[in-house]
């Protein structure tokens, strides 16, 4: 597969990409988050494949400092610095060392105008954006807002252990067709149910440039073995 | 004024209390958050008064490590560890070093059942809870949910530079009367527009045990001078 | 059981009360809503018991016109007349003939400040308010906001076919005890899983003044028989 | 201008179209809503132009019965018949006589997946859909979800008395260009600040097929005169 480099200011990612969402799993919190990130770093170094991580907010700084991995936030709020309480200021995740953020994950969906606002504010700060979508048409819709990456994740398959790339290849094919109608270069990831190198291979064969996954790695009894399998096959 | 100690597990606070909400102000982010926290620590040591801070999520760990101040989160979500993305897991703010959290700040309001869930989960983790309320009746309502602290903050006065304790003393008096009908011991703070030692004194004279404030300190040209004035008068 | 009359302006209800939430069931929409309301009216006339109904917004006017039943909205929004789109203006449900409204039903929960705002605006319009709560402490909290009626409905029992009054009598007992600490006269209903006269009797014996129910009547194969059983036993 | 007919089942609209959102204005509630609808009907008959209205939920049935105007709801919720309280069931607005609905108005925005769900459920019921968008890119995004009509309404101009078609013609031009990239036939309306025939003419000249407006008509001292001016110029 061809390698692409996504750059925004000094931040860069390359495809094919494995992006691990740590969610709010206790298996990926605090010390355990750092340990998992270090495993990912080792696998990335061994295989030469790009692995990025999206830990909880409180762990962004440590992981950005203690590893060389590209770190993403799981969400940002559509706000500017000022009188907001309890919200995720885009500047705060950048200051802590993130190079980008997920937006509109199926577990943290937003109004469409807020997605646009977040994409624009992330761009103005030099942060990379991964906008998540649950259907092919929504993928096309989010591509209209010009994020760096669109990630198609059918919510009905998330965390179910059946890979989208094998269970619903038509959703991925439709997504690619619709997104490419309006944008030839945007990076397309897929996710939901990805747990093995085979799932990843199927995803790449369908034309995506990587995968977004969570429980498949985070909750694996041997996280390193799973990641290695994914990275070798991607 | 009598000193009270609030304890939950190994966490403790004492009243009279000054609790500074850093909000998402750029003047209280990253390095600037640490610097402000260190100023607060110095003032606390000089005056013997308890000062707590509520920084952004990404700064909790640093401030908890680099100062001895009690650190609060600005918000937690009503969730347990698991498949949630972009949310604030109560366990995550505890792991990062917070000893408590604001709940239902006027800029981050919640459904009443979520407030109850957050109070219960914080308690089960040994975190102190400060539930915010905008009116006297809502203060009474939130006191029914048994948080450690109720903070009355009329939203119409937040960030306006007119102290609630001088502009609307009757709201504070009503709050104390209504809350005391159902709970004799819960700690009551007030906030909104507090910027000076005089405002604090008025708040204490009305029967509260401390203040919650933000811009009055965060955006002050001389943060230390303001904090010193507050701490001496409290 | 003693009969109480709740009055606000010209609107009145009496207890013991059966309040039927039509939800968005297709069995209680349009013509079917009118038919069910007429059945309720017949049962009310036969038994002398007060039965109120909460149909969908679009059916309020017809039912208010075609029956003599007290009609409630299922929700109002915390807004005043003006530039709001798609919201439920309290004035609109009154104009259509409703005499009151549910607020904070477990399927339509609100921020606590919005509950207060809705109670106040309903009162200023002469509308009766039924604030729903899922736990005993939340019942107490909502009673602090001075609605006319508090309805305790543990969400885990809604639509499950097991009556709260028999499955969880302690929740009702706790609710009554906590609410009475702060308000001696507010009307207390209970709901969730109520389907028979026996369930109603148990609810009344625990000290409530009526029931809030939905599927037990709406989805019954013989709606009149169920309602008659409920009305005779209340 | 060419006339187009939008059809879905037995429902039809024609362009150029004037769509009046009654919002929650007291000037367009109950009797006043019916009166305004009758004025619109008269103007429509006199001029041969299509005028549609979007009243409050409680007024849908009366206006659908007492006039021949196409009636829209202001919003629907992404739900199916069942146990939902206080929500807007798409079936309920159809049963009351609406032929379509606004979706995602700037005052009632939704998650993108909910917009898709509402468009699909409206279509399956034979209801026409008008999805609102605040920017050109969001218009393109919503067009990806295949509604019948996209309405571009920059929120910063709503209710300000300056017509989008004269103040920000470039937003309309960009919208048309972006939407046409992906859909050649979808109907495009514009709105915000429209109050006169001149504003409408400017909108049509830019390539839209009609206007969405509210206060310009609803709050006019002479509603008929304003509507006549709009209808003659469209």
């Amino acid at each position: 597969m061809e390698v692409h480099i996504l750059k925004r200011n000094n931040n860069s990612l390359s495809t094919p990409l494995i992006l691990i969402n740590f969610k709010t799993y206790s298996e990926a919190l605090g010390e355990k988050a750092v340990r998992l990130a270090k495993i990912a770093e080792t696998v990335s170094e061994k295989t030469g494949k790009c692995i990025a991580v999206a830990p909880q907010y409180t762990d962004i700084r440590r992981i950005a400092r203690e590893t060389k991995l590209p770190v993403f936030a799981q969400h940002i709020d559509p706000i500017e610095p000022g009188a907001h309480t309890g919200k995720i200021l885009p500047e705060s995740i950048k200051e802590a060392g993130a190079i980008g953020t997920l937006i509109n994950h199926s577990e943290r969906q937003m109004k469409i105008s807020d997605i646009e606002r977040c994409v624009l504010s992330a761009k103005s700060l030099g942060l990379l954006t991964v906008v998540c979508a649950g259907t092919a048409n929504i993928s096309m819709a989010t591509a209209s807002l010009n994020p760096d990456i669109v990630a198609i994740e059918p919510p009905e398959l998330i965390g179910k252990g059946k890979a989208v790339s094998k269970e619903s290849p038509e959703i991925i094919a439709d997504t690619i067709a619709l997104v490419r109608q309006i944008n030839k270069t945007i990076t397309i990831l897929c996710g939901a149910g990805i747990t093995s190198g085979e799932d990843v291979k199927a995803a790449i064969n369908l034309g995506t440039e990587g995968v977004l996954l969570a429980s498949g790695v985070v909750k694996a009894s041997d996280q390193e073995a799973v990641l290695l399998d994914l990275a070798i096959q991607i």
Side-chain angles (χ1 to χ4, degrees), chain A:
Chain A
M1 187 189 176
E2 221 180 319
V3 171
H4 284 108
I5 310 291
L6 276 86
K7 263 199 180 239
R8 163 136 310 126
N9 298 359
N10 294 320
N11 299 329
S12 74
L13 273 188
S14 63
T15 60
L17 173 68
I18 296 169
L19 174 45
I20 312 169
N21 179 2
F22 286 14
K23 297 196 175 181
T24 58
Y25 287 123
S26 51
E27 295 87 347
L29 169 65
E31 291 303 328
K32 292 178 181 170
V34 175
R35 197 179 61 204
L36 174 53
K38 287 190 171 165
I39 290 172
E41 188 178 33
T42 305
V43 172
S44 177
E45 284 168 354
K46 271 192 201 163
T47 60
K49 302 296 169 58
C50 186
I51 302 178
V53 293
Q56 295 184 53
Y57 307 111
T58 47
D59 290 324
I60 290 175
R61 188 184 306 277
R62 282 189 69 186
I63 294 178
R65 187 168 298 176
E66 298 184 31
T67 75
K68 287 179 210 125
L69 296 177
V71 178
F72 281 72
Q74 294 177 13
H75 167 81
I76 54 174
D77 280 306
I79 56 166
E80 302 193 344
H84 308 283
T85 294
K87 300 290 179 70
I88 310 303
L89 183 69
E91 283 81 351
S92 77
I93 62 114
K94 180 183 181 183
E95 191 278 336
I99 70 154
T101 185
L102 300 184
I103 291 174
N104 197 46
H105 188 276
S106 72
E107 293 158 4
R108 195 71 165 88
Q109 293 182 62
M110 302 170 85
K111 296 187 289 186
I112 192 167
S113 60
D114 286 340
I115 298 175
E116 184 178 52
R117 217 166 294 144
C118 285
V119 168
L120 293 172
S121 79
K123 280 195 180 179
S124 76
L125 293 170
L127 294 166
L128 291 162
T129 50
V130 180
V131 177
C132 301
T135 68
N137 284 83
I138 295 178
S139 300
M140 186 191 195
T142 60
S144 305
L145 306 177
N146 299 314
D148 298 292
I149 299 176
V150 170
I152 168 74
E153 280 204 313
E156 63 277 15
L157 295 176
I158 292 181
K160 295 294 181 301
K162 293 192 172 178
V164 61
S165 49
K166 294 200 290 194
E167 280 294 297
S168 303
E170 73 290 351
I171 296 184
I172 299 180
D174 289 353
T175 295
I176 294 174
L178 289 175
V179 169
R180 288 294 172 240
Q181 265 186 46
I182 58 171
N183 189 314
K184 297 292 177 215
T185 59
I186 200 169
T187 299
I188 301 173
L189 305 181
C190 72
I194 305 283
T195 59
S196 73
E198 260 193 43
D199 302 338
V200 163
K201 216 155 126 181
I204 298 295
N205 287 341
L206 285 162
T208 66
E209 292 153 272
V211 293
L212 174 58
L213 80 174
S215 60
V217 168
V218 174
K219 305 192 79 156
S221 57
D222 186 341
Q223 296 171 327
E224 181 162 5
V226 169
L227 258 176
L228 208 51
D229 182 32
L230 298 170
I232 286 169
Q233 297 290 341
I234 209 168

